């Protein structure tokens, strides 16, 4: 069965509508899952009609590649731990970038081998598709490396970095122009362009600290949409344009929301290596450790307890025991809340996902702006593997690199327990004066073990 | 004229994207990010055409590779999003009181 | 193919229209109605082409008449909306306390 | 200067973006006026580039028609009283419909006289443009007649109405098909189609009561957008499609909001002549009139006063004196509110426009759902020319045609003053048991005069 171009495109309209509906439904917890399904159905429809279109004549390569991709994608999606979601999204995103790059490349062959000489407009869109795709692919890989801590999470800066980057940009523009002037298959300008795109992705991401990776991923996500868009212009496909720009817009908005939550501009995130900032005031003082037995006694007497989860809860996979502890405390008569910082963890909404996994009900989750005024009247705050998002230096120390970031003011509570394994710093690499405050007690150890110990005490 | 139509479509989709996303609550930002990422796998259409049109051997291989990557993005993206969202479902018994 | 592009544009605009309008507060519904009505005067473009293309005398007269009506809609619509909205401006001194 | 089709269309993209931005900005009181300006600029841009396009060769007719239209439109917009806004919008809307009809008609000439035979797709869009345009034009005229009370506001129903309407529809479909089969210039089928479209508009609106006219206008507004859309398909113009569907969507949403506020379905509004409903329980009892002097004494002693404006305030142009009275009451120590019913007056948001004109500040305006729980503790409610929106029959009398419509429960307040000229009913033609309640006092007379009398008492 061979569908005409018109029919294929009318099916694309339906797909686009499904994507739009899907994104709309992703906006409400109740309909989100169905929304994702709608979007997937739209994608399946688009793929099927494309395969049935008369432009496709040979299926062997397609079948093989699809099989391979499905297996890899499905396994990855199944096996990844919820805590490694950010890395996974980075990899998927890089995959999408690579695909755009390759589509652009293939389109180039078709154009140049085609009957008439390719128009400059088409060439430009192809180059954009390769460039953006390449940056997305290599940039996402680096982001993956940093997030999974397979490479240093620190910002990598070196002398002359700006000059090198400027040279790369000049090289890209130059080779693009040269290539457009003489678009031949073996053109060395094409190879230069390809290589420089990949290098640019690397260079753009290495000077950004690990703590800012979520912003980078969201931005790269937006780029992968733009790359799809450019590919759509290159091959004249409406659906690529619609879907690509929806993704592009969504990435930019999320990026913006995250930057706002950290009180920083996007330029600041992208261009000022986090670790390279001025040195913060050195923190000194006495640390007061506490053991689980003593912490239990205090919790037992508390009227109000607020949990502040952070990345450490994700690492320790402590969400289930945390929920259990919360329930025990409630039975014990205390009022229990979970205070969610918008950028706690490694992705926006990361903590919400984990606590939802552990069946904590919505009503107990309180946002930063709502919890802060209530903290002075809270008996105990339990900080579970959070660090940067509760660092009072953001409020008090003008020299701190995170100065100005809105935080949860846990130090205003009557007592603060901090559950972490060491005196180590958070992802931003900044020391935390909270640990030395009068009302702070450090409960050292893996968060899951510490909480489990508390749960055991309550049960006995 | 085609460029005109495509630009029109681009402009409308950008506006629409902004309107749609700016309403999503923070709770759902992680699934939104990965769901949007899955949609960006739409490049798979271009990849299919490149791999199946039989234009030149090189284009076929490049297309095949891009199908592989795009399918990873699509399949993995949707599945992982679904896995996350499954946790947000209405619970028969809420976590606590 | 043109029909395809036009349908795509139609679909996107409808979604966009819904997203845009469903956010407007009740206070502004009257100006919204008349503002949207002014936009519907966009038919004036078709009217101009019909009246000016010199295709046939009849088409010219029909076009002329439609220019007349469409211009009433456009000019009147925007002006009346503006008049209403002028009342909604920030007041230097609020009505009361 | 002759612009190429490409350039014209790129300008159209900018216009469309301006329309979208404009509509977006119309959603906030602060930016609304600027939004309308943006939208007007978009329209001006579109008109200018269209005139410069090379398809336009003769300008005399255009110049004349534009001049005429501008004068009429500007005068109408300048001279109309704020209270007659709904009628005005109805007329403008009808004007737009007539324009779409004529554009379709003209396109028909071009197509049939053109070199190749017109495609069925084009013919169908042309027919749609004529049909929807015709219905919008004649329907809007009838709506205008009802709103301005130049014709009876009652629903006009007669035996066999449904049959007649069905015949009209059959006729329209039949003549369309016949015309598509043999599209010639002199075809009698075309004339049948044209006439039936206009008749359909009339027949569709006459069985709808005057009180439902705002819904009708909003729906016809949506139609005029659809007509523009159809015309856009007919002549292949993107901007007509974008702008038309924006308007179409907006009209449908507003219609829906209004229907919800009246607790009725759209089908119910369109197909069940309001006056033709089952007879309401007859209202009987004693009416207690009051004079301004006595009303003044009660108001002077009141701690909390809520004004409920309705269509009568618009008729009497009483908004300015009402604001004055409100200020005097506040000086006197009372808490003053304005309770706004969503369908008070003759257009959605009608009361907001009037009170804004009179400089009443936003904060004093309270929505129906917020004011109702507060009414039992309110000393005095002053109903200014409102009737249906405060009719307790909507809550209590299951036989009333307006049963189920959410109302402002003014009868729950300690004392209610009703300012109107007579015992006449509101636009729905339904009796109002409120006037006979124990705690109701009727202050007969023109609303502006009654309020002015109260203001004078306060000042002396
Ligand atoms: N979520 C987002 O969207 C987003 C976006 C952009 C940037 N960021 C950045 O990410 C950071 C998030 O802050 P955060 O407070 O959630 O995390 P954080 O500052 O990275 O701190 C995590 C803490 O958890 C502790 N930890 C690790 N494993 C643990 C375990 N098994 N048991 C107990 N504790 C453990 C670590 O201390 P030990 O090693 O001593 O145990 C570490 O100090 C911020 O810097 C934020 O700006 C997030
Ligand atoms: N706003 C909308 O969007 C919308 C949409 C759809 C339907 N509607 C319908 O419109 C109606 C609106 O209700 P409403 O309560 O605002 O108005 P209403 O029910 O039409 O009543 C208006 C009252 O004002 C009185 N009046 C007229 N001129 C007056 C003057 N100069 N001074 C004092 N009183 C005067 C009339 O009584 P006298 O003749 O005795 O003075 C009449 O009873 C409802 O039926 C609603 O369903 C409105």
């Amino acid at each position: 069965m061979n569908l005409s171009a018109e029919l294929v495109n009318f099916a694309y309209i339906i797909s686009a509508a499904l994507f739009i509906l899907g994104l709309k439904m992703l906006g409400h917890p109740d309909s989100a899952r169905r929304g994702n399904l709608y979007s997937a159905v739209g994608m399946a429809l688009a793929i099927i009609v494309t395969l049935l279109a008369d432009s496709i004549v040979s299926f062997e390569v397609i079948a093989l590649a699809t099989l391979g991709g499905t297996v890899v994608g499905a396994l990855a999606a199944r096996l990844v731990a919820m805590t490694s979601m950010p890395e996974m999204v980075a990899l998927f995103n890089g995959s999408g970038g690579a695909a755009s790059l390759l589509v652009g490349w293939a389109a180039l062959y078709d154009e140049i081998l085609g009957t008439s000489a390719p128009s400059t407009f088409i060439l430009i869109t192809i180059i954009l598709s390769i460039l953006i795709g390449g940056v997305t692919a290599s940039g996402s890989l680096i982001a993956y490396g940093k997030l999974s801590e397979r490479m240093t999470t620190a910002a990598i800066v070196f002398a002359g970095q700006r000059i090198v980057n400027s040279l790369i940009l000049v090289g890209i523009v130059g080779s693009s122009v040269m290539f457009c002037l003489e678009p031949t298959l073996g053109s060395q300008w094409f190879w230069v362009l390809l290589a420089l795109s990949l290098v640019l992705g690397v260079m753009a991401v290495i000077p950004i600290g690990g703590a800012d990776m979520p912003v980078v991923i969201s931005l790269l996500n937006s780029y992968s949409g733009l790359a799809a868009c450019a590919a759509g212009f290159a091959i004249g496909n409406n659906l690529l344009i619609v879907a690509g720009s929806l993704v592009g817009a969504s990435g930019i908005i999320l990026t913006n929301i995250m930057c706002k939550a950290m009180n920083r501009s996007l330029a600041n995130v992208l261009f000022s290596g986090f670790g390279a900032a001025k040195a913060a005031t050195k923190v000194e003082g006495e640390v007061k450790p506490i053991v689980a037995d003593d912490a239990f006694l205090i919790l037992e007497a508390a009227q109000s307890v607020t949990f502040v989860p952070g990345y450490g809860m994700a690492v320790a996979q402590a969400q289930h025991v945390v929920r259990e502890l919360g329930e025990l405390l409630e039975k014990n008569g205390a009022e229990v809340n979970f205070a969610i910082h918008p950028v706690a963890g490694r992705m926006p909404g990361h903590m919400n996902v984990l606590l939802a996994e552990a069946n904590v009900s919505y009503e107990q989750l309180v946002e930063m702006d709502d919890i802060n005024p209530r903290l002075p009247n809270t008996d105990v705050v339990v900080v579970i593997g959070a660090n940067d998002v509760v660092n009072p230096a953001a409020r008090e120390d003008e020299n701190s690199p995170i100065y100005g970031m809105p935080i949860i003011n846990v130090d205003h509570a009557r007592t603060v327990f901090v559950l972490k394994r060491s005196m180590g710093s958070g992802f931003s690499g900044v020391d935390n004066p909270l640990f030395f405050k009068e009302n702070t007690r450090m409960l050292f150890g893996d968060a899951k073990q510490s909480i489990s110990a508390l749960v055991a005490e309550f049960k006995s | 004229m085609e460029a005109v139509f495509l630009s029109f479509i681009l402009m409308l989709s950008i506006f629409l994207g902004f309107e749609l996303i700016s309403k999503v609550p923070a709770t759902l930002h992680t699934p939104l990010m990965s769901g949007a990422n899955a949609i960006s796998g739409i490049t798979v259409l271009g990849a299919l055409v490149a791999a199946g049109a039989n234009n030149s051997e090189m284009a076929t291989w490049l297309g095949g590779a891009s199908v592989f990557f795009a399918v990873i993005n699509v399949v993995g993206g949707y599945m992982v999003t679904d896995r996350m969202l499954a946790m947000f479902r209405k619970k028969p018994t809420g976590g606590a009181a």
Side-chain angles (χ1 to χ4, degrees), chain A, chain B:
Chain A
M1 184 171 67
N2 281 351
L3 299 180
S4 73
E6 259 83 10
L7 257 180
V8 170
N9 269 287
F10 276 114
Y12 283 177
I13 296 182
I14 299 175
S15 287
L18 284 169
F19 289 152
I20 294 169
L21 265 182
L23 277 179
K24 203 172 150 66
M25 292 167 74
L26 262 180
H28 302 278
D30 297 340
S31 61
R33 198 173 179 196
R34 227 157 4 103
N36 188 52
L37 189 69
Y38 280 24
S39 158
V41 169
M43 183 67 77
L45 174 67
I47 292 177
I48 291 170
V49 298
T50 306
L51 286 175
L52 294 179
D54 46 13
S55 53
I56 296 201
V57 290
S58 82
F59 290 88
E60 303 82 30
V61 179
I62 291 181
L64 217 74
T66 307
L67 189 72
T70 307
V71 171
V72 174
L75 282 183
R78 270 297 176 85
L79 301 181
V80 63
M82 270 297 148
T83 39
S84 320
M85 229 27 121
E87 292 98 289
M88 204 68 250
V89 174
L91 274 187
F92 287 152
N93 198 42
S95 218
S100 287
L101 184 158
L102 291 164
V103 168
W105 195 347
L108 202 60
Y109 269 84
D110 292 351
E111 284 295 330
I112 294 180
L113 295 179
T115 43
S116 58
S119 77
T120 311
F121 177 75
I122 292 286
L123 281 179
I124 291 176
T125 57
I126 289 183
I127 288 176
L128 276 179
S129 160
I130 293 176
L131 173 63
I132 307 179
V135 170
T136 309
S138 61
S140 297
L141 263 186
I142 300 289
Y144 167 77
K146 292 207 172 202
L147 277 172
S148 63
E149 304 190 31
R150 270 164 222 268
M151 61 178 284
T152 167
T153 63
I156 300 177
V157 279
F158 53 84
Q161 199 161 19
R162 270 161 207 243
I163 300 176
V164 173
N165 287 347
S166 309
L167 285 179
I168 295 177
L169 281 177
V170 170
I172 287 177
V173 173
S175 55
S176 306
V177 171
M178 294 309 289
F179 182 72
C180 279
L181 291 180
E182 218 175 320
T184 56
L185 275 190
S187 171
Q188 76 263 40
W189 295 116
F190 171 75
W191 297 107
V192 173
L193 178 67
L194 186 66
L196 283 184
S197 304
L198 294 171
V199 173
L200 180 63
V202 175
M203 294 302 288
V205 179
I206 54 166
I208 304 175
D212 285 330
M213 274 313 117
V215 182
V216 172
I217 295 188
S218 167
L219 197 66
L220 288 174
N221 194 3
S222 172
Y223 286 173
S224 74
L226 297 183
C229 235
F233 272 96
I235 63 175
N237 185 314
N238 308 325
L239 189 52
L240 256 67
I241 295 179
V242 174
S245 35
L246 288 177
V247 174
S250 97
I252 286 178
I253 291 183
L254 279 182
T255 309
N256 200 23
I257 291 174
M258 277 189 267
C259 286
K260 269 199 194 139
M262 300 192 298
N263 196 28
R264 295 165 62 203
S265 73
L266 183 57
N268 181 283
V269 171
L270 296 184
F271 301 123
S272 72
F274 210 101
K278 45 203 164 164
T281 318
K282 194 85 205 98
V283 186
E284 277 172 358
E286 196 199 345
V287 170
K288 291 173 284 299
I290 192 172
V291 292
D293 291 359
D294 297 341
F296 164 68
L297 294 177
I298 298 178
L299 278 176
E300 208 188 8
Q303 287 303 308
S304 51
V305 178
T306 298
F307 291 102
V308 181
Y311 180 63
M313 182 179 84
V315 176
Q317 288 281 31
Q319 60 270 32
H320 298 280
V321 281
V322 168
R323 196 243 321 152
E324 209 180 338
L325 181 59
E327 283 174 11
L328 290 169
L329 283 167
E330 283 202 325
K331 272 209 203 100
N332 193 36
E335 195 202 322
V336 176
N337 282 316
F338 293 81
I340 310 289
H341 190 283
V343 295
R346 291 289 174 270
M347 284 189 109
H350 199 171
M351 294 300 118
N352 296 87
V353 175
L354 292 175
L355 292 175
E357 184 192 0
N359 262 324
V360 173
S361 71
Y362 294 157
E363 297 89 52
Q364 290 189 296
L365 309 186
V366 190
E367 286 183 23
M368 174 170 65
D369 293 337
D370 297 328
I371 197 75
N372 272 339
R374 284 148 68 176
L375 285 176
N377 297 319
T378 302
D379 290 336
V380 183
V381 167
V382 185
V383 176
I384 308 165
N387 191 338
D388 297 341
V389 299
V390 295
N391 189 339
R395 211 177 54 225
E396 295 162 353
D397 179 4
E398 291 197 23
N399 292 321
S400 171
I402 62 169
Y403 181 71
M405 165 172 164
I407 57 156
I408 299 185
N409 298 320
V410 294
D411 51 326
H412 290 171
R414 302 215 174 91
T415 309
V416 184
F417 294 160
V418 177
L419 277 62
K420 63 201 297 282
R421 296 164 309 181
S422 68
M423 287 299 291
S425 59
F427 222 46
S428 70
V430 174
D431 279 346
N432 193 337
L434 171 71
F435 307 156
F436 306 97
K437 295 243 168 173
E438 192 51 49
N439 54 345
T440 303
R441 299 288 175 280
M442 304 295 294
L443 184 46
F444 287 114
D446 177 76
K448 186 169 183 181
Q449 282 164 16
S450 302
I451 301 266
S452 301
L454 289 171
V455 167
E457 299 248 18
F458 262 102
K459 283 195 174 158
S460 66
Chain B
M1 223 24 208
E2 192 169 299
V4 167
F5 284 117
L6 296 179
S7 313
F8 237 112
I9 289 174
L10 178 69
M11 186 273 292
L12 290 171
S13 321
I14 291 177
F15 271 106
L16 189 53
F18 275 96
E19 291 299 318
L20 288 175
I21 307 298
S22 50
K23 280 186 204 161
V24 178
T27 328
L28 288 168
H29 278 167
T30 296
L32 173 66
M33 193 151 149
S34 91
N37 178 254
I39 294 181
S40 78
I42 191 70
T43 344
V44 72
L45 302 189
L48 288 174
V49 173
N54 238 358
N55 280 331
S56 69
E57 204 179 330
M58 185 65 184
T60 306
W61 288 119
L62 287 173
S66 68
V67 168
F68 174 72
F69 284 115
V71 168
I72 293 185
N73 190 356
V74 169
V75 173
Y78 280 115
M79 282 181 64
V80 109
T81 310
D82 187 66
R83 227 182 106 193
M84 267 188 260
L85 290 173
M87 297 168 187
F88 279 87
R89 72 183 173 281
K90 274 258 158 62
K91 286 123 201 168
T93 52

